[in-house]
Amino acid sequence: MTAAAEAPFDVTATTCTGFAAELRRHGVPVGPGQTTTLYAALHQIGPVRLRDLYWAGRITLVGGREQFAAYDAAFRAFFTAETDGDTVALPAPRTTAPQVDRDTSSSASTPSARPSEAREDEVDQARLTPSDVRVLKEKSFARMDAVERRRAAALVRRLGAELPRRRSRRRVPAPRGRHLDPRALLRSALRTDGEPVRLPRRHNPLQERPLTLVVDVSGSMAPYATALLWFAHAMLRAGHPVEVFTVGVEPTRITDELRRPSLDVALARVAAAVGDWDGGTRLGTSFATVLERYGGHRALRGAVVVICSDGLDRDEPEILGDAMRSLHRVAHGTVWLNPLKGDSRYRPVQRAMAAALPHIDVFLPGHNVAAVEQLCAALAASRRAA
């Protein structure tokens, strides 16, 4: 889960009493005892998210199924400032959840950014049944409409990936460790007439390996590329060491553009920075350029490199094969997400894909939310293996 998507509310007594008053204005009878129960329940939960608040309120404040519609209307009016008629919206706690694309078209040709209400997305997600979520996870990104893409983006933002770790080369002070700390030893001895009382230690701490995402933004990959950018944005917001590149006609580093707190703003900056979105495909040349520029950089050396592409390349397959061989030598691991693999009939027999396959550690589909979950599981497995 990302920190932005799971931002906690500061639940106060004023919040609970204000929401109860809003419910009464919508015709739901709520007494002081129910309000107190809601307040106590929320403080038993711990960090409270909007989804938790929705269900806790519905359990403690609603007396019957016939009140569900009025409860939903009051919840939206109070927490998203949406009002009908003369209903007055009360002030609500603010969240920092990233905004998502609300494009009304059925396909995502470019990473567009439009004004949105992230809190409304949380309410929307709370209404989904487990069967709805399962169907949504299995549906291809390319076949989703605008509402489904918004819900899928919220699911992807809540995924948590554990990256493999490695020992840092830099030693830091520690209560225990294999190495003495000579400087600290001398400083402490000065305070005891040159006699060391304790032996300060240093060790090499564990740190996460960088995660580098290389996203194909050619025309056939646009909906899947946008979905992986959701994941990249969530990982960056969670504080993981992430680098992101797009490849098509030429490579573009978009890490800084994705650091924006709002997903809408981040995607807008990506759209402005990437000049070959929905263009042609020269994977081999693009990969070779990335290796030439960043081959000795932490973005590739010792990193887990995740490539999202269908492998349909206009370059000669030998170019991509040589680039993947070099990448495999410098990276800790290589993962390839291919949306075509979501079809059981798919076989990686295209010349470019066949040339790259021997240098891939993990080969996964990349066409839906379930595939992104498989990616997270593969990253966690590589962490345990390390």
Side-chain angles (χ1 to χ4, degrees):
M1 298 182 185
T2 65
E6 299 297 322
F9 280 95
D10 182 16
V11 178
T12 64
T14 303
T15 304
C16 295
T17 56
F19 182 38
E22 187 68 39
L23 283 169
R24 287 191 288 270
R25 278 195 286 272
H26 281 76
V28 180
V30 179
Q34 292 171 286
T35 308
T36 303
T37 302
L38 172 63
Y39 183 75
L42 292 175
H43 280 76
Q44 291 294 323
I45 293 175
V48 179
R49 300 163 298 179
L50 192 66
R51 181 177 56 182
D52 302 325
L53 185 55
Y54 174 87
W55 287 111
R58 208 170 92 161
I59 291 171
T60 58
L61 304 179
V62 176
R65 183 182 298 272
E66 67 278 3
Q67 298 174 355
F68 285 175
Y71 175 85
D72 288 348
F75 192 91
R76 286 184 178 276
F78 186 80
F79 290 103
T80 64
E82 294 180 3
T83 60
D84 295 319
D86 296 329
T87 303
V88 179
L90 300 178
R94 301 178 64 182
T95 68
T96 57
Q99 299 172 345
V100 298
D101 175 24
R102 292 180 184 275
D103 189 3
T104 56
S105 62
S106 60
S107 64
S109 60
T110 60
S112 60
R114 297 190 177 189
S116 62
E117 293 289 343
R119 285 169 290 189
E120 182 181 345
D121 291 338
E122 288 292 318
V123 176
D124 192 34
Q125 290 294 320
R127 290 178 167 181
L128 293 178
T129 65
S131 59
D132 292 334
V133 173
R134 182 175 179 179
V135 171
L136 184 62
K137 286 183 177 181
E138 297 296 332
K139 190 167 187 177
S140 173
F141 293 124
R143 292 173 31 232
M144 290 181 179
D145 58 26
V147 174
E148 290 171 331
R149 284 203 307 277
R150 186 177 71 247
R151 292 173 174 173
L155 291 176
V156 171
R157 294 203 313 269
R158 288 202 295 268
L159 294 177
E162 298 180 352
L163 301 182
R165 295 175 176 266
R166 62 182 175 187
R167 289 284 177 186
S168 171
R169 295 182 179 180
R170 180 172 298 180
R171 296 172 187 169
V172 298
R176 299 179 183 85
R178 296 178 54 188
H179 308 283
L180 283 174
D181 188 344
R183 293 184 178 181
L185 177 64
L186 292 175
R187 285 195 300 268
S188 63
L190 289 175
R191 295 191 293 268
T192 55
D193 294 330
E195 293 292 336
V197 177
R198 64 182 185 88
L199 298 179
R201 298 283 181 172
R202 298 176 73 88
H203 78 147
N204 302 86
L206 288 173
Q207 62 181 13
E208 285 186 324
R209 289 185 177 274
L211 173 66
T212 299
L213 303 174
V214 182
V215 186
D216 182 354
V217 294
S218 59
S220 59
M221 283 294 300
Y224 314 107
T226 303
L228 200 61
L229 293 185
W230 300 338
F231 176 71
H233 181 268
M235 292 292 287
L236 281 167
R237 294 290 296 155
H240 297 289
V242 178
E243 288 284 345
V244 189
F245 299 89
T246 62
V247 291
V249 178
E250 60 183 6
T252 305
R253 181 179 179 271
I254 58 170
T255 308
D256 294 336
E257 284 75 11
L258 283 175
R259 292 190 189 279
R260 306 297 170 179
S262 167
L263 179 58
D264 284 338
V265 175
L267 292 181
R269 290 183 176 272
V270 169
V274 179
D276 56 348
W277 187 279
D278 202 14
T281 310
R282 296 186 62 192
L283 290 181
T285 302
S286 297
F287 277 39
T289 304
V290 171
L291 280 164
E292 180 181 354
R293 295 176 183 174
Y294 299 95
H297 191 268
R298 65 189 294 269
L300 297 181
R301 187 167 295 278
V304 179
V305 181
V306 177
I307 301 164
C308 182
S309 175
D310 54 13
L312 304 178
D313 191 10
R314 295 181 181 178
D315 282 332
E316 292 298 323
E318 293 79 10
I319 301 176
L320 180 60
D322 292 342
M324 286 300 300
R325 185 182 302 108
S326 300
L327 177 61
H328 193 262
R329 282 199 299 263
V330 301
H332 174 72
T334 54
V335 181
W336 192 298
L337 305 180
N338 190 329
L340 299 179
K341 195 174 186 296
D343 190 335
S344 59
R345 299 167 296 176
Y346 171 75
R347 298 293 181 270
V349 296
Q350 299 96 337
R351 295 194 306 161
M353 198 70 250
L357 200 57
H359 313 294
I360 298 172
D361 296 317
V362 182
F363 190 41
L364 297 172
H367 64 301
N368 57 17
V369 177
V372 182
E373 289 182 333
Q374 292 181 43
L375 169 62
C376 294
L379 294 174
S382 65
R383 172 173 178 158
R384 290 191 294 269

